[in-house]
Coordinates of all heavy atoms in Angstrom, one line a residue:
Q1 N 45.9 7.6 -92.5 CA 45.7 6.8 -91.3 C 44.9 5.6 -91.5 O 45.0 4.6 -90.8 CB 45.1 7.7 -90.2 CG 46.1 8.7 -89.7 CD 45.4 9.8 -88.9 OE1 44.2 9.8 -88.6 NE2 46.2 10.8 -88.5
R2 N 44.0 5.6 -92.5 CA 43.1 4.5 -92.8 C 43.6 3.5 -93.8 O 43.0 2.5 -94.2 CB 41.7 5.0 -93.3 CG 41.0 5.8 -92.2 CD 39.8 6.5 -92.9 NE 38.8 7.0 -91.9 CZ 39.0 8.1 -91.2 NH1 40.1 8.8 -91.4 NH2 38.1 8.6 -90.4
T3 N 44.8 3.8 -94.4 CA 45.3 3.1 -95.5 C 46.5 2.2 -95.1 O 47.3 2.5 -94.4 CB 45.8 4.1 -96.6 OG1 44.7 4.9 -96.9 CG2 46.3 3.4 -97.8
T4 N 46.5 1.0 -95.8 CA 47.6 0.0 -95.6 C 48.1 -0.4 -97.0 O 47.2 -0.7 -97.8 CB 47.1 -1.2 -94.8 OG1 46.5 -0.8 -93.6 CG2 48.2 -2.2 -94.6
C5 N 49.4 -0.5 -97.2 CA 49.9 -1.0 -98.4 C 49.9 -2.6 -98.3 O 50.5 -3.1 -97.3 CB 51.4 -0.5 -98.6 SG 52.2 -1.2 -100.0
I6 N 49.3 -3.3 -99.2 CA 49.3 -4.7 -99.1 C 50.2 -5.4 -100.1 O 50.6 -6.6 -99.9 CB 47.8 -5.3 -99.3 CG1 47.2 -4.8 -100.6 CG2 47.0 -4.8 -98.1 CD1 45.9 -5.4 -100.9
S7 N 50.6 -4.7 -101.2 CA 51.6 -5.3 -102.1 C 52.2 -4.2 -102.9 O 51.6 -3.2 -103.2 CB 51.0 -6.4 -103.0 OG 50.1 -5.8 -103.9
A8 N 53.5 -4.5 -103.4 CA 54.1 -3.5 -104.2 C 55.1 -4.3 -105.1 O 55.8 -5.2 -104.7 CB 54.9 -2.5 -103.4
S9 N 55.2 -3.9 -106.4 CA 56.1 -4.5 -107.3 C 56.8 -3.4 -108.2 O 56.2 -2.7 -109.0 CB 55.3 -5.4 -108.3 OG 56.2 -5.9 -109.4
F10 N 58.1 -3.4 -108.0 CA 59.0 -2.4 -108.7 C 58.9 -2.8 -110.2 O 58.8 -1.9 -111.1 CB 60.4 -2.5 -108.2 CG 61.3 -1.5 -108.9 CD1 61.4 -0.2 -108.5 CD2 62.1 -1.9 -109.9 CE1 62.3 0.7 -109.1 CE2 63.0 -1.1 -110.6 CZ 63.0 0.2 -110.2
E11 N 59.0 -4.1 -110.5 CA 59.1 -4.6 -111.9 C 57.8 -4.2 -112.6 O 57.9 -3.9 -113.8 CB 59.4 -6.1 -111.9 CG 60.7 -6.5 -111.3 CD 60.8 -6.5 -109.8 OE1 59.7 -6.5 -109.1 OE2 61.9 -6.4 -109.3
Q12 N 56.7 -4.4 -112.0 CA 55.4 -4.1 -112.6 C 54.9 -2.7 -112.5 O 54.0 -2.2 -113.1 CB 54.3 -5.1 -112.1 CG 54.6 -6.5 -112.5 CD 53.6 -7.4 -111.9 OE1 52.9 -7.1 -110.9 NE2 53.5 -8.6 -112.4
G13 N 55.6 -1.9 -111.6 CA 55.2 -0.5 -111.3 C 53.8 -0.4 -110.7 O 53.0 0.5 -111.0
T14 N 53.5 -1.4 -109.8 CA 52.2 -1.4 -109.2 C 52.3 -1.4 -107.6 O 53.2 -1.9 -107.1 CB 51.4 -2.7 -109.6 OG1 52.1 -3.8 -109.2 CG2 51.2 -2.7 -111.1
I15 N 51.3 -0.8 -107.0 CA 51.1 -0.9 -105.6 C 49.6 -1.1 -105.3 O 48.8 -0.5 -106.0 CB 51.6 0.4 -104.9 CG1 53.0 0.7 -105.2 CG2 51.4 0.2 -103.3 CD1 53.5 2.0 -104.6
A16 N 49.3 -2.0 -104.4 CA 47.9 -2.2 -104.0 C 47.8 -1.8 -102.5 O 48.6 -2.1 -101.7 CB 47.5 -3.6 -104.2
F17 N 46.7 -1.1 -102.2 CA 46.4 -0.6 -100.9 C 45.0 -1.1 -100.4 O 44.2 -1.4 -101.3 CB 46.4 0.9 -100.8 CG 47.6 1.6 -101.3 CD1 47.8 1.9 -102.6 CD2 48.6 1.9 -100.4 CE1 48.9 2.6 -103.1 CE2 49.8 2.5 -100.9 CZ 49.9 2.9 -102.2
E18 N 44.8 -1.1 -99.1 CA 43.4 -1.3 -98.6 C 43.1 -0.1 -97.7 O 44.0 0.4 -97.0 CB 43.3 -2.6 -97.8 CG 43.3 -3.8 -98.7 CD 43.1 -5.1 -97.9 OE1 43.1 -5.1 -96.7 OE2 43.0 -6.1 -98.6
I19 N 41.9 0.4 -97.8 CA 41.5 1.5 -97.0 C 40.0 1.3 -96.5 O 39.2 0.8 -97.3 CB 41.6 2.9 -97.7 CG1 41.2 4.1 -96.9 CG2 40.9 2.8 -99.1 CD1 41.6 5.4 -97.5
D20 N 39.8 1.7 -95.3 CA 38.4 1.6 -94.7 C 37.7 3.0 -95.0 O 38.3 4.0 -94.7 CB 38.5 1.4 -93.2 CG 39.0 0.1 -92.8 OD1 38.6 -0.9 -93.4 OD2 39.9 0.0 -91.9
I21 N 36.6 2.9 -95.6 CA 35.8 4.1 -96.0 C 34.9 4.4 -94.8 O 33.8 3.8 -94.6 CB 35.0 3.9 -97.3 CG1 35.9 3.5 -98.4 CG2 34.2 5.2 -97.6 CD1 37.1 4.5 -98.7
D22 N 35.4 5.2 -93.9 CA 34.6 5.6 -92.7 C 33.8 6.8 -93.0 O 34.0 7.6 -93.9 CB 35.6 5.9 -91.6 CG 36.4 4.6 -91.1 OD1 35.8 3.5 -91.3 OD2 37.5 4.8 -90.6
P23 N 32.7 7.1 -92.1 CA 31.8 8.2 -92.4 C 32.4 9.5 -92.6 O 31.9 10.3 -93.4 CB 31.0 8.2 -91.1 CG 30.9 6.7 -90.7 CD 32.3 6.2 -91.0
P24 N 33.6 9.9 -92.0 CA 34.1 11.2 -92.3 C 34.5 11.4 -93.8 O 34.7 12.5 -94.3 CB 35.4 11.4 -91.4 CG 35.1 10.4 -90.3 CD 34.3 9.3 -90.9
L25 N 34.7 10.3 -94.5 CA 35.0 10.4 -96.0 C 33.8 10.4 -96.8 O 33.9 10.4 -98.1 CB 35.9 9.2 -96.3 CG 37.2 9.1 -95.6 CD1 38.0 7.8 -96.0 CD2 38.1 10.3 -95.8
C26 N 32.6 10.4 -96.2 CA 31.4 10.2 -97.0 C 30.5 11.4 -97.0 O 30.6 12.3 -96.2 CB 30.6 9.0 -96.4 SG 31.5 7.4 -96.6
S27 N 29.6 11.4 -98.0 CA 28.7 12.5 -98.1 C 27.5 12.3 -97.1 O 27.5 11.3 -96.4 CB 28.1 12.5 -99.6 OG 27.2 11.4 -99.7
V28 N 26.6 13.3 -97.1 CA 25.5 13.2 -96.2 C 24.6 12.0 -96.5 O 23.9 11.5 -95.7 CB 24.7 14.5 -96.2 CG1 24.0 14.7 -97.6 CG2 23.6 14.6 -95.2
F29 N 24.7 11.4 -97.7 CA 24.0 10.3 -98.2 C 24.6 9.0 -97.8 O 24.1 7.9 -98.0 CB 23.7 10.3 -99.7 CG 23.0 11.6 -100.1 CD1 23.7 12.6 -100.8 CD2 21.7 11.8 -99.8 CE1 23.1 13.7 -101.1 CE2 21.0 13.0 -100.1 CZ 21.7 13.9 -100.8
G30 N 25.8 9.0 -97.1 CA 26.5 7.8 -96.6 C 27.4 7.1 -97.6 O 27.8 6.0 -97.3
N31 N 27.7 7.7 -98.7 CA 28.6 7.1 -99.7 C 29.8 7.9 -99.8 O 29.8 9.1 -99.6 CB 27.9 6.8 -101.0 CG 27.3 8.1 -101.7 OD1 27.0 9.0 -101.0 ND2 27.2 8.1 -103.0
L32 N 30.9 7.3 -100.3 CA 32.2 8.0 -100.5 C 32.0 9.2 -101.3 O 31.5 9.2 -102.4 CB 33.2 7.0 -101.1 CG 34.6 7.6 -101.4 CD1 35.3 8.0 -100.1 CD2 35.4 6.5 -102.1
H33 N 32.4 10.3 -100.7 CA 32.4 11.6 -101.4 C 33.3 11.7 -102.5 O 34.5 11.2 -102.4 CB 32.7 12.7 -100.4 CG 32.4 14.1 -100.9 ND1 33.2 14.8 -101.7 CD2 31.4 15.0 -100.6 CE1 32.7 16.0 -102.0 NE2 31.6 16.1 -101.3
G34 N 32.9 12.3 -103.7 CA 33.8 12.4 -104.8 C 35.1 13.1 -104.5 O 36.2 12.7 -105.0
G35 N 35.1 14.1 -103.7 CA 36.3 14.8 -103.3 C 37.2 13.9 -102.5 O 38.4 14.0 -102.7
A36 N 36.6 13.1 -101.6 CA 37.5 12.2 -100.8 C 38.0 11.1 -101.7 O 39.2 10.7 -101.6 CB 36.6 11.6 -99.7
A37 N 37.2 10.6 -102.7 CA 37.7 9.6 -103.6 C 38.9 10.2 -104.4 O 39.9 9.5 -104.7 CB 36.6 9.1 -104.5
S38 N 38.7 11.4 -104.9 CA 39.8 12.1 -105.7 C 41.1 12.2 -104.8 O 42.2 12.0 -105.3 CB 39.3 13.5 -106.1 OG 38.2 13.3 -107.0
T39 N 40.9 12.6 -103.6 CA 42.1 12.7 -102.7 C 42.7 11.4 -102.4 O 44.0 11.3 -102.5 CB 41.7 13.4 -101.4 OG1 41.1 14.7 -101.6 CG2 42.9 13.6 -100.5
I40 N 41.9 10.4 -102.2 CA 42.5 9.0 -102.0 C 43.3 8.6 -103.3 O 44.5 8.2 -103.1 CB 41.4 8.0 -101.8 CG1 40.7 8.2 -100.4 CG2 41.9 6.5 -102.0 CD1 39.4 7.4 -100.2

């Protein structure tokens, strides 16, 4: 729900996304949790 595809290239095999890192994705210390980063 927080992710948007901003570009995609079949020829290059690449896709770029943007995502807002909101507090539910973060650890108690306020940074992106490793598990959330892995899931992203």
Side-chain angles (χ1 to χ4, degrees):
Q1 291 164 2
R2 293 170 169 78
T3 304
T4 304
C5 176
I6 57 172
S7 68
S9 170
F10 181 86
E11 295 77 21
Q12 295 177 339
T14 60
I15 304 176
F17 303 90
E18 287 183 354
I19 181 170
D20 294 314
I21 305 302
D22 293 335
L25 301 176
C26 295
S27 71
V28 67
F29 302 108
N31 56 334
L32 179 61
H33 190 282
S38 296
T39 302
I40 290 168

